[in-house]
Amino acid sequence: MENKILSTVKAWLPHCILDGHQDSEYSVLQDVAEYCLTRFEGEVEEQQMAKEAMNIIGILYGGGSLHVRNAIENEFLERLACCESPASLRNTWPIFLKKCGRCT
């Protein structure tokens, strides 16, 4: 049975999912994180695609259950945090925080 993460990413971000990762929400979240990371440093169009992906994950996080939020924190946000510098986090995380409703 598909859960909220899988169904949402498959519907809105199918281009982010690598072959063979379609059945695991954790792999799908890691794929979306990698997709975002590879596009943050690209052209304006690529950066916009990464922002759209982060918007969708942010909406999932904001309206998700504890399980959904934990999965996003452990697989998506952790991957972004480990691969980015403090300066780049300043540019990318506000996008996520606004969509998930955790902005102060």
Side-chain angles (χ1 to χ4, degrees), residues 29-102:
L29 288 169
Q30 291 170 4
D31 290 347
V32 176
E34 290 297 325
Y35 174 86
C36 290
L37 286 169
T38 59
R39 281 156 181 79
F40 283 146
E41 299 299 323
E43 300 293 324
V44 175
E45 278 184 26
E46 290 180 329
Q47 291 175 8
Q48 185 59 35
M49 291 171 21
K51 287 178 182 180
E52 289 174 15
M54 287 196 72
N55 285 340
I56 291 167
I57 298 299
I59 291 167
L60 259 176
Y61 186 90
S65 65
L66 180 61
H67 171 77
V68 168
R69 290 192 314 266
N70 284 340
I72 290 170
E73 290 168 3
N74 293 337
E75 304 301 331
F76 180 78
L77 295 177
E78 187 273 337
R79 175 83 42 120
L80 292 179
C82 287
C83 295
E84 290 202 41
S85 69
S88 66
L89 286 175
R90 180 179 291 168
N91 295 328
T92 57
W93 284 57
I95 299 163
F96 177 80
L97 294 173
K98 286 179 187 173
K99 287 298 174 186
C100 75
R102 304 288 191 237

Side-chain angles (χ1 to χ4, degrees), residues 11-26:
W12 292 94
L13 303 167
H15 53 281
C16 296
I17 304 172
L18 297 177
D19 291 335
H21 290 186
Q22 297 177 353
D23 297 329
S24 167
E25 65 187 14
Y26 304 111

